[in-house]
Amino acid sequence: MTPDTTAYLVLGLLVTFGLMGALVGSMLWRYRALRKDEQTLRQLLDEER
């Protein structure tokens, strides 16, 4: 009879989706920071003119 490895499957899926969620969250955080930097640079360029 094959051993029951359902718990390992669930744990692996939780870890995988947790890492994917962290990656997406990091991308969103970086995107927002990039947009803020872009806005700051545009303001500086407008002030120079």
Side-chain angles (χ1 to χ4, degrees), residues 7-25:
Y8 293 113
L9 172 65
V10 171
L11 180 62
L13 289 173
L14 287 174
V15 168
T16 300
F17 284 113
L19 288 172
M20 288 171 52
L23 178 63
V24 170

Side-chain angles (χ1 to χ4, degrees), residues 22-49:
L23 178 63
V24 170
S26 173
M27 287 179 169
L28 288 174
W29 185 31
R30 291 178 187 194
Y31 177 74
R32 289 179 183 160
L34 182 63
R35 296 293 291 198
K36 186 177 178 184
D37 289 346
E38 180 186 20
Q39 182 181 12
T40 302
L41 287 172
R42 287 187 190 277
Q43 286 176 351
L44 289 173
L45 283 173
D46 289 343
E47 289 174 3
E48 284 183 0
R49 293 179 184 173

Side-chain angles (χ1 to χ4, degrees), residues 1-8:
M1 185 162 150
T2 340
D4 183 20
T5 57
T6 305
Y8 293 113

